[in-house]
Amino acid sequence: MNYTRKLESKAFVGYIRISPSKVRRILDQIRNVSCEEAFIILKFMPYKACPIISKVLYSAVSNAKQQFGAKSHSLYIIEARADDGPVLKRFCPHAQGRGFPIKKRMSHITSTI
């Protein structure tokens, strides 16, 4: 049998205090795009998660260069995902003595090149 080894490089950051849904809308824009193009897209997007995602992406590119000696212009984003992390539960006072729950969500961001 002929097995081909896929050269994949991963980077992960966890427990980021931003909602996964807000991160996913940005990751949808850069999935299956070259890394150079993804950095340009992230640079000009006005969202809070963009610098965090670009750091994760830069780490994955550095891992690929270190492990396989890959050139940065030949790298593509295979997988980019944001998973749910723990939720901080808070309560805000509401009308008639009720407590209104507030969920402060966290996310784990994974990038595969």
Side-chain angles (χ1 to χ4, degrees):
M1 287 193 199
N2 186 7
Y3 292 105
T4 57
R5 188 175 146 221
K6 288 176 28 175
L7 302 178
E8 290 183 354
S9 175
K10 288 188 177 187
F12 173 81
V13 65
Y15 304 101
I16 299 297
R17 256 293 290 125
I18 188 167
S19 174
S21 60
K22 293 180 181 178
V23 177
R24 284 183 193 124
R25 70 178 175 193
I26 298 166
L27 292 177
D28 291 340
Q29 301 293 320
I30 64 167
R31 197 173 289 125
N32 299 324
V33 175
S34 71
C35 290
E36 291 180 341
E37 191 175 337
F39 282 124
I40 293 169
I41 291 170
L42 290 171
K43 185 176 180 182
F44 291 106
M45 286 181 108
Y47 301 113
K48 176 185 170 183
C50 288
I52 299 164
I53 294 171
S54 63
K55 285 181 185 178
V56 175
L57 194 60
Y58 183 77
S59 176
V61 169
S62 296
N63 290 342
K65 286 180 182 178
Q66 199 69 356
Q67 292 172 352
F68 311 117
K71 306 289 185 208
S72 61
H73 59 81
S74 65
L75 297 174
Y76 281 84
I77 300 171
I78 299 169
E79 179 187 24
R81 72 171 194 259
D83 299 323
D84 293 341
V87 178
L88 300 175
K89 294 176 182 168
R90 304 287 183 258
F91 282 94
C92 180
H94 232 56
Q96 298 178 352
R98 294 184 176 95
F100 188 75
I102 296 174
K103 294 181 180 177
K104 298 186 174 212
R105 300 181 184 273
M106 292 187 204
S107 36
H108 304 310
I109 303 171
T110 307
S111 173
T112 305
I113 293 178

